[in-house]
C-alpha cells in the first residue's frame, strides 16, 4: 500500500502454499508477485518451515540481482517498534488500562514482542503468552510432529525469532488446527468479525486462559487479517 502511494516498485515473494487471495491482493495493489514452489509432499494451504526457507532463498536472490531494499519483517526493528509505540498503547487506551493478559500467535514475533514490551512497561503484572500451533510448538521446546499445520501466517517451526526479547514471555499456549478454524467460524457467525486462521487461534487461546489460569481477567488479542484472504481454503467450506 505504501509503495503504491509512493510510486516505488514492490516485489512480493511468497509460497504457492499460501492462499491465492494473498497473491491476487498484492497484484491488485500493483506488486510484482513471485510465487515459490513448495517442497515435494507439501500441501497447498499448509506452509511449513521448509517451504518458508525456499521463499527466503528466492527473496535473497532477488535482492542481490536487483540491488533492492528488503523489508524483512522477521529481522527489522521497525516491526517491533510499530507495535511497541502504537499497537500496545492502543490496547491500553481502548481498555482504559484494564488489561490483565495478552496472547498472540507467533508469526514474526513482532506484534507479540512490541505489544508485550509496551504492556510490561505500563504494568509489569500484565501476563503475555505466545500462541503456537499444536505439533509445531518448537519455540517452547516442543517436538515438531505437524510441520504442515493449517494456521496460515506463522508457526513456521523456526526455533528462534530475532524480535522476541528477554523478559516478555510468561508462557506458551498450543492451539490445534481444528480449534483455530472453529473459532474463526464463530467470530464470523456470532460476532460479525470476518477474520482468518490466526485470529481464530488467538481467540481459542484467550478462551483457554479464561477457563483456566486467567478466569475473571481481561485478555487482549489481535484480529490479524481478513477472512477474505482465505475464501479459496476449506476454512469457509
Amino acid at each position: 500500500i505504501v509503495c503504491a502511494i509512493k510510486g516505488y516498485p514492490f516485489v512480493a515473494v511468497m509460497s504457492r502454499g499460501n492462499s491465492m487471495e494473498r497473491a491476487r491482493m498484492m497484484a491488485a495493489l500493483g506488486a510484482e508477485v513471485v510465487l515459490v514452489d513448495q517442497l515435494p509432499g507439501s500441501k497447498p494451504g499448509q506452509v511449513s518451515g521448509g517451504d518458508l526457507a525456499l521463499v527466503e532463498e528466492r527473496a535473497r536472490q532477488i535482492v542481490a540481482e536487483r540491488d533492492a531494499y528488503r523489508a524483512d519483517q522477521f529481522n527489522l526493528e521497525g516491526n517491533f517498534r510499530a507495535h511497541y509505540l502504537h499497537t500496545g498503547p492502543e490496547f491500553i487506551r481502548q481498555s482504559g488500562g484494564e488489561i490483565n493478559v495478552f496472547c498472540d500467535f507467533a508469526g514474526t514475533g513482532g506484534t507479540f514482542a512490541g505489544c508485550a514490551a509496551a504492556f510490561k512497561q505500563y504494568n509489569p503484572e500484565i501476563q503475555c503468552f505466545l500462541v503456537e500451533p499444536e505439533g509445531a510448538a518448537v519455540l517452547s521446546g516442543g517436538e515438531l510432529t505437524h510441520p504442515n499445520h493449517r494456521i496460515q501466517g506463522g508457526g513456521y517451526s523456526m526455533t528462534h525469532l530475532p524480535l522476541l526479547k528477554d523478559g516478555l514471555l510468561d508462557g506458551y499456549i498450543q492451539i490445534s488446527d481444528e480449534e483455530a478454524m472453529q473459532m474463526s467460524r464463530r467470530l464470523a457467525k456470532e460476532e460479525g468479525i470476518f477474520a482468518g486462521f490466526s485470529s481464530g487461534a488467538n481467540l481459542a487461546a484467550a478462551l483457554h486462559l479464561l477457563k483456566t489460569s486467567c478466569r475473571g481477567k481481561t485478555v487482549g488479542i489481535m484480529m490479524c487479517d481478513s477472512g477474505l484472504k482465505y475464501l479459496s481454503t476449506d476454512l469457509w467450506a
Side-chain angles (χ1 to χ4, degrees):
I1 292 170
V2 172
C3 288
I5 293 170
K6 294 289 189 179
Y8 303 148
F10 183 86
V11 182
V13 187
M14 61 181 69
S15 172
R16 289 190 184 276
N18 285 316
S19 63
M20 67 178 68
E21 289 86 354
R22 286 175 179 249
R24 287 178 174 176
M25 183 182 70
M26 290 284 102
L29 289 166
E32 174 188 343
V33 179
V34 177
L35 295 177
V36 180
D37 290 337
Q38 293 181 271
L39 290 170
S42 292
K43 297 180 180 179
Q46 301 178 22
V47 180
S48 68
D51 293 329
L52 193 66
L54 294 179
V55 172
E56 171 71 20
E57 180 182 355
R58 184 68 184 112
R60 288 176 183 269
Q61 291 173 354
I62 291 173
V63 169
E65 290 166 359
R66 306 193 188 189
D67 192 24
Y69 170 78
R70 184 178 179 190
D72 184 353
Q73 60 182 340
F74 281 90
N75 291 284
L76 291 181
E77 283 290 319
N79 183 354
F80 167 87
R81 285 177 58 78
H83 299 293
Y84 171 67
L85 294 173
H86 302 289
T87 315
E90 182 180 344
F91 267 108
I92 294 168
R93 287 195 303 272
Q94 289 198 21
S95 67
E98 298 298 320
I99 182 171
N100 311 115
V101 184
F102 173 65
C103 57
D104 191 49
F105 186 66
T108 64
T111 305
F112 173 85
C115 288
F119 295 148
K120 296 292 186 181
Q121 185 177 61
Y122 173 76
N123 177 4
E125 298 301 314
I126 296 177
Q127 295 179 284
C128 300
F129 295 86
L130 200 63
V131 182
E132 294 189 275
E134 190 175 86
V138 298
L139 288 168
S140 55
E143 184 179 353
L144 180 61
T145 59
H146 187 36
N148 295 317
H149 61 85
R150 296 161 74 183
I151 308 176
Q152 293 193 28
Y156 298 121
S157 310
M158 300 169 67
T159 57
H160 173 67
L161 294 176
L163 296 178
L164 288 183
K165 303 177 187 297
D166 294 337
L168 299 179
L169 268 163
D170 291 289
Y172 298 87
I173 304 171
Q174 296 184 28
I175 297 299
S176 69
D177 294 346
E178 291 72 23
E179 288 175 300
M181 294 172 73
Q182 181 187 28
M183 288 302 110
S184 295
R185 292 164 180 164
R186 286 190 61 185
L187 275 171
K189 292 180 179 179
E190 298 176 27
E191 300 294 338
I193 297 174
F194 196 40
F197 290 89
S198 55
S199 299
N202 286 344
L203 178 58
L207 291 176
H208 171 77
L209 289 168
L210 289 167
K211 292 176 182 177
T212 54
S213 61
C214 298
R215 187 179 298 272
K217 295 184 178 181
T218 299
V219 182
I221 62 172
M222 293 287 295
M223 296 287 104
C224 307
D225 63 0
S226 169
L228 290 171
K229 288 184 182 178
Y230 307 102
L231 287 174
S232 63
T233 73
D234 61 355
L235 178 58
W236 309 115

